[in-house]
Amino acid sequence: MNADLTLAGRTAIVTGAGAGLGRSEALALAARGANVVVNDMGPAAAGVVTEIEAAGGRAVAVTGDVGDWSLGDTLVSAAVDTFGSLDILVNNAGVLRDRMLFNLSESDWDDVLHVHLKGHASLSRAAAVHWRAASKAAGGPVYGRVINTASEAFLFGSAGQPNYSAAKAGIVALTLSTAQGLARYGVRANAICPRARTAMTEASFGEAGSPGGLDVMAPERVGTFVGYLASPASAKISGQVFVVYGDMVALLAAPTVEQKFTAADGIFSVEELGAQLTPYFEDRDAHRTYAAYSVAALDTTGVTATM
């Protein structure tokens, strides 16, 4: 195994790891040599620990709600007390409460933001406290990798997912802040927008199918990329957002300024805004908004199904 790709001796926390993407990510990290703290709400976490141990790895299950702020500290302590370190954090836990905006209840909003955005924040904060203290004790940078789970929903503003879209946009912003705020301590933080067929998404992707190989939407494909981002080989990658599924990984570019409107005399009047902006948008395509619809062109699902 290439030394810069190995995770031997490293310890990872994976949230929402009892099934689906989280399970695949936990198994992938363990297969690369990492010890894994497997988090989920119920007994499924223990089942994943059994899988990891049966394959010769080391893992421990810690159940609990990631949206509970104190659980971050509990999971970090479990990593350090059980395995001696914390090196990798994979924030994956999530729920869906899909509604159109006019049908959205307060609990639909709160449940999704609680698990996705607050869950990412609670774990990231606890890990940041640990890495900052470790770096100060070491007198220099330490090893830290944060892999957050966003979604293409934040790029499109999915009509039936105002809560989920907002949470995922927040996660991207949190990722950028984490990358900047923790860089001096040796931490790298990135976000992935994965597509995978799991219990949470099975209604979106239809029947599994990939003749002669791994299902094009298999969560194992995402787990492989997470294993890479967790490794020393990713040391120069931070503050990035990737779309990941099928046979590809796509690196997203930062937003750019399309057009700058400037007041002729230094202060805009409503009339001058109308004179400049109204004609500019007059014949604009309705889909040409801040939403990144062009990313949908990446989707060749069913066209290419190779590993």
Side-chain angles (χ1 to χ4, degrees), residues 213-281:
L214 194 62
D215 175 12
V216 73
M217 286 297 174
E220 288 81 2
R221 295 174 180 268
V222 178
T224 299
F225 185 57
V226 167
Y228 166 73
L229 282 182
S231 77
S234 70
K236 299 294 186 181
I237 304 174
S238 195
Q240 306 296 339
V241 180
F242 298 90
V243 177
V244 188
Y245 61 87
D247 61 354
M248 57 118 240
V249 171
L251 172 64
L252 298 185
T256 60
V257 176
E258 176 188 331
Q259 180 71 24
K260 181 180 178 181
F261 303 95
T262 306
D265 298 322
I267 301 175
F268 267 118
S269 66
V270 174
E271 290 75 17
E272 188 180 3
L273 287 167
Q276 289 199 41
L277 273 71
T278 299
Y280 186 83
F281 287 94

Side-chain angles (χ1 to χ4, degrees), residues 39 102 119 196 210:
N39 161 257
F102 40 77
S210 184

